[in-house]
Amino acid sequence: MLNDTIAAPATAMINSGIGIIRISGANTIKITSNLFPDLEKMKSHTIRYGFLIDGENIIDEVMVSLMKAPNSYTREDVVEINCHGGTRMMNSILECLVKNGARLAEPGEFTKRAFLNGRIDLAKAEAVMDIISSKNDFALKSSVSQLRGAISVAVKGLREEILYQIAYIEAALDDPEYFSLDGYCEELTEKIEVIINSLNRLLKSAEQGKVLKEGINTVIVGKPNVGKSSLLNFLIGEERAIVTDVAGTTRDILSESVVMDGFMLNIIDTAGIRQTEDEVEKIGVERTLKYAAEADLIIYLLDSSTEIDENDRRISELIKNKKVITLLNKVDLCSNINGFELADIVNRIYPHVDNLGDKSENPQSTIIRTSIKDGTGITEFSEAVKKMFLRGEIDNEEEVYITNLRHKEALIKALESIQQVKQSLDKKMPEDFLTIDMMNAYENLGKIIGEQVDDDLVNEIFGKFCVGK
Amino acid sequence: MKTKTDICVIGAGHAGCEAALAAARLGFKTIVFTVSIESIALMPCNPNIGGTSKGHLVREIDALGGEMAKNIDKTFIQSKMLNLSKGPAVHSLRAQADKLAYSNTMREILENQENLSIKQGEIVDILVENNQVAGVKTFTGNIYECKAVIICTGTYLNARCLCGESITNTGPNGLQAATHLTGVLQKLGINFRRFKTGTPARMDKRSLDFSKMAPQPGDEKIIPFSFSTDPAAIQKEQALCYLTYTNEKTHEIIRENLNRSPMYSGLIEGTGTRYCPSIEDKIVKFADKDRHQVFLEPEGLSTNEMYVSGMSSSMPEDVQIAMYRTVPGMENCEIVRNAYAIEYDCIDPAQLNATLRFKEITGLYSAGQINGSSGYEEAAAQGLIAGINAALSLQGREELVIDRSEAYIGVLIDDLVTKENFEPYRMMTSRAEYRLLLRQDNADLRLGEKGFIAGLKSAAEFEKLNKKQKSIQDEVKRLKETRIGAAGYVQDFLVLHESAPLRSAVSLADLLSRPELDYKKLELLDKERDLLPEDVVVQVEIEIKYEGYIERQKRQVNQFKKMENRKIPSELNYDEVSSLRLEARQKLKTLRPLSIGQASRISGVSPADIAVLLVYMEQYRGR
């Protein structure tokens, strides 16, 4: 559809210092100003510095530029958000935009709009067509690769159920003398509850799937000088070379992604931590609190060459009940650590572990002895992460991030439609109103598994119900 | 011998009648040909007009200036508004017709129509010169030169009727089949397919025991089909229909004799419609159902024949008698006419554009069952559009294309000419994606202007319609602007109607949108209101009560329209669009859609193909 507002990354979603997200369409300003209120005051073709917000929360520190129609790439109102790079950040910004009413752009859609609005030179047509078709192939492949797997089975099941209910109503509407809907709404209300629950579960599992596909958001904690920076540098290894050097700029790198054996860690390491390294209290409390709350994984570093102290106990309290892997570092040096105190630390972090259980099977309570200097224990660390997040199933499918987010968007839309059905049921609307939103949900779920609607409904009516004279 | 005329219509069924009347009323000398004068507007199958979604079609035909609604208003013997307990979008009017009266009354209209003449005779050739229609030739050798031909041959082309093992090469009701035209049209490059449909037996009323069946009366207050019929003038005593059921015994007989049904023995080659399954089909496909409904419907007031709705069949006569006699009330039934299946040739409608003209032949139109549809109403709707368009094109005016967001007629024609269709097509409310807007109650408001522009509706009628439209808008506005405070008498009123009391002032529209309140009840709080006609009140109520849903549909329609308005140049060469996938290219080349919207509905054309096409069109425009 041509006039709604679309959003997509304008730069590749790789781990670079800066990423750009582009928004285009009639509601660009309305939608983006929910995240960046200053936008409304901006003149066309200016750029402004500020913070993107999602309600109370700051998402990122950004530069936003505005190009009003018709003097923009697409000849529609266009906003470009210069944000921090990397999938994680760009992902959350896109999600916020979608939440506020934008739609994720189809491959090549900005260019398509530029064309349709007469903006692009005709000589470029062939080249653009190639891009569109190749991007389509790409999108097709990535959606095909998702056809397998538990989500698609679940989505198919839900679609079947929804279609059956629509067909039931439609059969009755088309053949009222042969089909009665008496008492049907009570039955449907229960079924709708079940569908809502399933959709919520799917949305949650989409979140879990995200960890595998987009990387595990990881924070390294520990008192000063335990080797946090060394660990980071060690893990980054060669990747370091492609990371923008940030010194002296206002754009700090928020996370660096490290591909390990079958998974990816997005390690959060702010310049801020380095800047305030001497302020022990601040590190121990504020930063840890903030990042630990959002992280999927916490790497807790202990220094085997120093005694466990109050800082360690404090940190262990703060990261209680999170997914933690404890590394006992500097094992190449003389050990000054007390075994009982160490056990106490582990128990603080994870107090619910059954003491009688086989602790060695639980990566939470395993302490890995490492020496970052010579790489000791890194293999064990990698195994522990896998045990914790992959549960043995290593997903080697190559996934395209944008496709996943689109799926999530479709799931959310389907859920909204089904909730609308519930409202209509509560309001005792006639049955024919229900199928409008049920069909919307059915279509949105179809987008996830790449199936079109076409004649599904008519076939279902004839296939499942004996209609006709 | 040669005769000159403007437009020839082949066939005088429901499509042919509407086509001929429209063409003649728009000022063209028109001749309608029929194999038998007695078969004008014949109803060879069910004795009703309307029903779910078909009732919508009839209303739309009326709004555009067609005849069907007026004709059934004159000849119905029972009337019912179906789905009254559901939302307004699916309310559907259905009337039992006196078949003979329906046919005769329509014949009278045709006979007295200026510019129109009727000829009995089979057309055996269609003359085409340089891809332009030049005339038709009758079996007896007469040539009628004309500028447009509308083919409305229904199920008559190479028709074959099957009743068990006995097969006759006849059309419906034993009428003569048309055996020449298929070959003629094939020579013109038109592709055919073979479809099948069927009809149940007719019973002698005197042999039925209605005391064992449930009587089915009509509505107390009869609502006419036509917007121009005065409701008061058509209130009358109505005939009864009766409901009974098949049972295990019936099913057993059918199962035992399945091998003698031509459907299952392989004698039938045509594709049947899933909507009109024979009783054999129902029992095979829905084996778990222990009974099926059977409605007995009178075929008219001047006949004893009763139509057995729900039990069409192609079983041999002896099996038919045995199975019908297992049904309560039909134990001693006597068959007047056997049930039979009929096979016939019809065209692949993808060869038509949305005006119902053949894409490759100027002046040649086709409408009705020959286009692969089923049903009287579907046929009449197409006939009307084909007739209007033949006339408009001879006038050199823009032809009438109704889109999916404007009418069921638009959905019907778009589905036929765009989507692949492998069985007789029947209208259904579920096919109309914008049905909340396409109600039978607002067909006049939706289509009146088109009827006026085409020339079938008078300026006076159009003026009246505009007034109605305005008073609806004014009243909606007034209700939204009139505030009601939380005064004591208001709260009392609300309590009385089991509605939540007010916390602060609201508009009358807010109150009206509450499910438990309606326009009439609100009179007590709205004493200064003008007395408005009932049809205006109905529209006001619907607009306010379902506002949120209607708004959502309107937004969908806006999106839809954008794609529909992107017209594809008719001379566009798809072979030059290099990035199209092969399948899409082939489909687009054969179907030649009028707009990007239509192209996107073709099965096998993906969103990526559409993007490629849009880009190409931009390039093309620049040349």
Side-chain angles (χ1 to χ4, degrees):
Chain A
M1 293 304 129
L2 276 180
N3 234 7
D4 52 352
T5 299
I6 53 173
T11 53
M13 300 242 293
I14 52 166
N15 299 305
S16 55
I18 297 173
I20 299 175
I21 287 170
R22 182 182 285 152
I23 306 122
S24 173
N27 288 328
T28 295
I29 295 174
K30 204 178 127 208
I31 290 168
T32 319
S33 60
N34 289 338
L35 276 61
F36 192 79
D38 278 1
L39 185 67
E40 286 183 333
K41 287 179 257 165
M42 281 171 66
K43 282 187 189 146
S44 186
H45 294 78
T46 59
I47 189 160
R48 191 178 281 232
Y49 162 86
F51 290 94
L52 275 193
I53 49 161
D54 177 19
E56 302 275 283
N57 301 322
I58 292 173
I59 316 169
D60 195 11
E61 188 183 12
V62 294
M63 303 278 280
V64 172
S65 57
L66 170 67
M67 287 138 284
K68 285 193 179 166
N71 298 317
S72 70
Y73 180 58
T74 56
R75 291 213 164 153
E76 301 170 335
D77 285 346
V78 169
V79 162
E80 288 183 358
I81 301 174
N82 291 244
C83 57
H84 288 100
T87 43
R88 181 174 170 270
M89 182 48 72
M90 291 173 87
N91 163 12
S92 16
I93 295 173
L94 281 171
E95 278 191 39
C96 278
L97 288 166
V98 168
K99 205 164 73 182
N100 279 286
R103 170 174 69 74
L104 289 172
E106 304 288 335
E109 200 170 1
F110 287 104
T111 313
K112 186 168 125 193
R113 288 188 178 201
F115 253 105
L116 298 182
N117 295 326
R119 161 73 174 69
I120 284 189
D121 180 5
L122 291 172
K124 292 182 189 163
E126 289 296 335
V128 172
M129 269 200 285
D130 285 347
I131 294 168
I132 291 177
S133 40
S134 68
K135 281 199 177 178
N136 261 311
D137 281 349
F138 187 51
L140 193 69
K141 268 183 210 142
S142 61
S143 66
V144 168
S145 72
Q146 303 211 355
L147 275 177
R148 284 157 282 180
I151 288 213
S152 103
V153 171
V155 166
K156 276 187 185 158
L158 278 175
R159 287 184 96 222
E160 270 168 32
E161 172 70 20
I162 293 171
L163 188 65
Y164 180 87
Q165 300 303 337
I166 300 173
Y168 191 95
I169 296 176
E170 294 294 337
L173 295 174
D174 262 316
D175 236 349
E177 286 168 318
Y178 289 75
F179 268 95
S180 162
L181 286 175
D182 290 346
Y184 171 74
C185 282
E186 286 76 32
E187 217 175 283
L188 183 65
T189 308
E190 286 170 25
K191 298 223 161 87
I192 288 292
E193 282 300 336
V194 174
I195 293 172
I196 288 177
N197 289 340
S198 312
L199 283 172
N200 275 325
R201 263 204 308 279
L202 270 180
L203 268 172
K204 253 190 214 150
S205 75
E207 288 287 335
Q208 282 164 11
K210 200 184 84 173
V211 166
L212 294 181
K213 286 159 191 159
E214 292 148 30
I216 301 161
N217 295 327
T218 308
V219 182
I220 304 172
V221 298
K223 61 188 177 186
N225 285 324
V226 289
K228 297 196 294 288
S229 298
S230 314
L231 176 61
L232 181 65
N233 287 337
F234 182 88
L235 291 175
I236 290 167
E238 289 177 1
E239 302 254 329
R240 189 75 174 150
I242 60 159
V243 169
T244 313
D245 184 9
V246 295
T249 72
T250 56
R251 302 193 168 277
D252 300 337
I253 295 168
L254 283 174
S255 79
E256 303 202 28
S257 295
V258 179
V259 178
M260 295 188 66
D261 182 20
F263 60 90
M264 186 166 83
L265 296 182
N266 303 319
I267 303 180
I268 298 160
D269 170 50
T270 67
I273 286 184
R274 278 194 285 266
Q275 276 164 16
T276 53
E277 225 159 28
D278 50 339
E279 297 174 58
V280 179
E281 279 306 298
K282 244 186 171 167
I283 308 161
V285 185
E286 287 176 26
R287 294 280 170 181
T288 313
L289 254 186
K290 183 161 182 271
Y291 291 110
E294 290 167 16
D296 302 316
L297 169 66
I298 291 165
I299 302 173
Y300 179 30
L301 268 187
L302 285 164
D303 183 346
S304 75
S305 65
T306 60
E307 283 183 23
I308 284 178
D309 60 16
E310 195 47 38
N311 278 330
D312 286 314
R313 279 187 278 274
R314 215 131 139 210
I315 293 170
S316 62
E317 276 296 321
L318 293 171
I319 59 176
K320 192 159 88 178
N321 287 328
K322 308 285 298 180
K323 284 194 170 169
V324 180
I325 291 178
T326 311
L327 303 184
L328 186 59
N329 196 24
K330 302 189 188 175
V331 290
D332 51 321
L333 303 178
C334 291
S335 176
N336 276 318
I337 211 154
N338 177 311
F340 288 109
E341 282 181 348
L342 190 59
D344 173 56
I345 289 285
V346 172
N347 282 335
R348 277 168 192 265
I349 299 171
Y350 210 59
H352 303 306
V353 170
D354 186 349
N355 285 321
L356 299 171
D358 185 357
K359 287 195 174 184
S360 66
E361 279 304 299
N362 189 340
Q364 297 263 25
S365 46
T366 317
I367 294 169
I368 299 166
R369 297 164 60 82
T370 60
S371 166
I372 291 160
K373 225 165 99 189
D374 57 19
T376 307
I378 294 299
T379 315
E380 288 81 355
F381 165 69
S382 161
E383 286 304 314
V385 176
K386 273 201 244 173
K387 217 181 242 177
M388 194 177 269
F389 286 92
L390 303 185
R391 296 180 193 283
E393 309 157 28
I394 298 170
D395 190 348
N396 285 324
E397 286 286 327
E398 255 187 59
E399 298 290 4
V400 184
Y401 166 72
I402 195 84
T403 319
N404 290 330
L405 188 49
R406 191 171 284 128
H407 290 179
K408 196 175 156 194
E409 187 189 353
L411 271 179
I412 290 170
K413 280 193 178 152
L415 182 61
E416 282 169 0
S417 295
I418 291 293
Q419 272 157 348
Q420 192 79 46
V421 176
K422 195 178 169 219
Q423 275 181 29
S424 301
L425 277 166
D426 290 345
K427 281 198 284 179
K428 303 222 176 318
M429 295 299 288
E431 295 86 348
D432 53 305
F433 285 90
L434 307 176
T435 58
I436 300 173
D437 292 305
M438 288 163 80
M439 204 65 205
N440 269 338
Y442 179 75
E443 282 173 10
N444 273 306
L445 289 175
K447 285 180 191 164
I448 298 173
I449 53 173
E451 277 178 22
Q452 288 189 329
V453 177
D454 290 339
D455 290 327
D456 287 2
L457 176 58
V458 171
N459 290 334
E460 179 87 359
I461 294 175
F462 287 129
K464 296 271 169 72
F465 304 101
C466 181
V467 291
K469 289 150 195 182
Chain B
M1 210 183 95
K2 281 187 181 177
T3 313
K4 262 192 184 326
T5 188
D6 294 321
I7 295 173
C8 289
V9 179
I10 308 172
H14 304 282
C17 286
E18 295 290 352
L21 286 171
R25 285 168 178 169
L26 292 177
F28 290 95
K29 275 175 68 187
T30 305
I31 302 175
V32 57
F33 296 89
T34 169
V35 285
S36 158
I37 298 291
E38 277 72 38
S39 69
I40 290 174
L42 184 75
M43 301 172 75
C45 194
N46 57 317
N48 22 60
I49 297 287
T52 54
S53 76
K54 291 162 172 266
H56 290 64
L57 287 174
V58 181
R59 281 275 168 100
E60 291 174 355
I61 291 168
D62 187 61
L64 286 168
E67 197 62 30
M68 183 172 248
K70 292 191 175 90
N71 205 54
I72 183 64
D73 282 347
K74 291 177 206 159
T75 56
F76 76 95
I77 55 176
Q78 189 202 80
S79 169
K80 215 171 184 173
M81 186 66 88
L82 303 173
N83 273 336
L84 267 180
S85 63
K86 322 275 179 1
V90 293
H91 294 182
S92 284
L93 196 55
R94 186 194 58 199
Q96 301 298 132
D98 183 317
K99 283 185 168 183
L100 192 63
Y102 186 92
S103 178
N104 284 338
T105 312
M106 187 62 95
R107 177 173 162 188
E108 207 181 310
I109 297 286
L110 261 60
E111 284 174 344
N112 292 297
Q113 176 62 48
E114 198 187 334
N115 289 330
L116 180 62
S117 46
I118 306 170
K119 301 251 179 248
Q120 179 165 302
E122 185 189 348
I123 297 298
V124 294
D125 201 2
I126 293 171
L127 312 174
V128 174
E129 288 161 15
N130 303 322
N131 291 332
Q132 156 73 50
V133 155
V136 296
K137 190 178 158 192
T138 63
F139 185 70
T140 45
N142 244 337
I143 288 178
Y144 293 86
E145 290 177 335
C146 63
K147 296 166 206 145
V149 170
I150 306 168
I151 313 169
C152 306
T153 50
T155 58
Y156 285 77
L157 292 186
N158 289 334
R160 192 166 84 125
C161 288
L162 302 97
C163 177
E165 299 89 354
S166 85
I167 299 172
T168 52
N169 289 314
T170 58
N173 268 0
L175 286 159
Q176 182 196 331
T179 50
H180 298 88
L181 270 187
T182 302
V184 167
L185 291 168
Q186 275 169 337
K187 268 190 207 137
L188 291 172
I190 292 162
N191 302 323
F192 277 83
R193 44 178 61 147
R194 201 147 170 86
F195 277 179
K196 167 249 155 186
T197 185
T199 194
R202 312 298 193 273
M203 297 296 166
D204 186 332
K205 191 185 204 167
R206 295 168 303 176
S207 67
L208 302 174
D209 181 357
F210 296 123
S211 69
K212 293 181 180 165
M213 308 182 189
Q216 307 285 307
D219 286 343
E220 259 174 47
K221 186 178 143 199
I222 298 169
I223 296 165
F225 270 102
S226 173
F227 291 99
S228 61
T229 302
D230 174 13
I234 57 158
Q235 305 300 321
K236 63 178 166 192
E237 185 146 344
Q238 300 176 65
L240 284 177
C241 298
Y242 296 90
L243 170 63
T244 179
Y245 295 90
T246 62
N247 51 46
E248 215 18 76
K249 193 90 213 294
T250 326
H251 302 183
E252 208 180 290
I253 291 175
I254 292 167
R255 276 194 292 265
E256 274 168 15
N257 289 284
L258 265 187
N259 57 340
R260 296 182 64 200
S261 158
M263 269 310 285
Y264 289 89
S265 64
L267 271 175
I268 285 184
E269 298 145 12
T271 320
T273 167
R274 290 172 293 178
Y275 180 70
C276 283
S278 61
I279 187 72
E280 298 93 281
D281 273 349
K282 291 191 199 178
I283 279 148
V284 172
K285 283 191 193 149
F286 299 95
D288 55 322
K289 284 199 86 173
D290 53 6
R291 64 176 200 175
H292 293 274
Q293 281 173 307
V294 179
F295 286 95
L296 285 133
E297 305 173 4
E299 295 243 308
L301 296 179
S302 59
T303 171
N304 274 334
E305 278 186 87
M306 296 288 281
Y307 177 88
V308 192
S309 180
M311 283 187 83
S312 86
S313 175
S314 56
M315 284 288 191
E317 192 173 14
D318 58 308
V319 182
Q320 287 189 22
I321 293 173
M323 73 176 193
Y324 285 128
R325 286 189 176 164
T326 59
V327 178
M330 294 175 73
E331 294 85 350
N332 303 306
C333 70
E334 289 295 337
I335 294 179
V336 182
R337 303 182 210 208
N338 285 326
Y340 63 89
I342 180 169
E343 275 190 316
Y344 54 96
D345 293 341
C346 60
I347 62 155
D348 172 1
Q351 300 161 98
L352 303 171
N353 59 34
T355 63
L356 295 181
R357 180 175 73 74
F358 282 92
K359 288 166 186 166
E360 307 300 333
I361 305 168
T362 309
L364 186 60
Y365 295 79
S366 80
Q369 268 176 299
I370 186 181
N371 288 348
S373 65
S374 89
Y376 312 139
E377 303 81 0
E378 288 87 341
Q382 293 170 60
L384 177 64
I385 298 297
I388 289 175
N389 282 332
L392 288 177
S393 93
L394 292 190
Q395 287 168 350
R397 294 170 60 201
E398 192 189 337
E399 294 183 49
L400 174 64
V401 174
I402 298 174
D403 76 37
R404 303 180 74 87
S405 70
E406 294 168 327
Y408 275 77
I409 295 182
V411 176
L412 164 71
I413 293 177
D414 185 58
D415 277 351
L416 282 175
V417 305
T418 308
K419 294 185 180 169
E420 283 176 335
N421 191 30
F422 299 108
E423 64 177 336
Y425 178 97
R426 186 219 172 219
M427 198 72 245
M428 296 165 78
T429 58
S430 50
R431 298 192 196 267
E433 50 278 75
Y434 312 116
R435 73 171 171 213
L436 205 46
L437 307 178
L438 309 186
R439 304 184 306 271
Q440 52 93 34
D441 59 69
N442 68 359
D444 55 340
L445 299 166
R446 288 186 277 124
L447 298 172
E449 186 175 4
K450 289 190 192 307
F452 171 67
I453 292 171
L456 287 178
K457 285 279 176 188
S458 70
E461 282 171 303
F462 185 48
E463 181 52 33
K464 203 177 142 198
L465 198 61
N466 283 335
K467 270 196 191 138
K468 177 176 170 183
Q469 184 77 276
K470 189 171 182 304
S471 57
I472 294 165
Q473 282 164 357
D474 289 349
E475 181 64 358
V476 169
K477 189 162 175 273
R478 189 188 68 85
L479 291 172
K480 285 188 172 177
E481 285 170 1
T482 311
R483 308 289 291 177
I484 295 289
Y489 74 96
V490 175
Q491 308 291 38
D492 291 346
F493 167 88
L494 291 173
V495 169
L496 182 72
H497 290 97
E498 294 177 359
S499 196
L502 295 182
R503 280 198 220 107
S504 60
V506 296
S507 70
L508 275 173
D510 289 331
L511 287 178
L512 184 52
S513 65
R514 295 183 174 188
E516 62 277 10
L517 299 177
D518 60 33
Y519 190 82
K520 196 161 171 262
K521 285 178 187 163
L522 285 177
E523 194 181 357
L524 280 168
L525 305 182
D526 185 24
K527 292 198 170 128
E528 279 153 44
R529 67 160 65 149
D530 294 330
L531 186 66
L532 292 171
E534 204 182 319
D535 57 341
V536 170
V537 172
V538 168
Q539 295 306 314
V540 168
E541 239 177 349
I542 291 173
E543 266 192 42
I544 290 178
K545 276 199 176 296
Y546 306 111
E547 192 179 20
Y549 294 88
I550 288 175
E551 277 311 308
R552 281 205 327 263
Q553 283 244 282
K554 281 187 177 161
R555 279 201 297 273
Q556 291 171 349
V557 167
N558 283 339
Q559 296 281 20
F560 160 82
K561 286 271 190 190
K562 271 183 205 132
M563 301 307 269
E564 292 305 291
N565 290 338
R566 292 199 72 89
K567 300 290 179 218
I568 300 177
S570 57
E571 66 277 14
L572 188 140
N573 181 359
Y574 289 99
D575 286 328
E576 277 185 21
V577 193
S578 51
S579 308
L580 281 178
R581 287 173 315 114
L582 191 63
E583 187 196 1
R585 186 196 314 269
Q586 281 166 348
K587 290 271 173 69
L588 289 165
K589 269 169 80 174
T590 25
L591 280 158
R592 304 207 67 84
L594 294 179
S595 66
I596 286 291
Q598 193 190 355
S600 68
R601 290 189 294 277
I602 298 172
S603 52
V605 175
S606 72
D609 296 317
I610 294 296
V612 166
L613 198 56
L614 281 167
V615 171
Y616 180 82
M617 276 166 60
E618 282 307 312
Q619 235 182 331
Y620 188 90
R621 203 166 60 180
R623 280 183 197 165

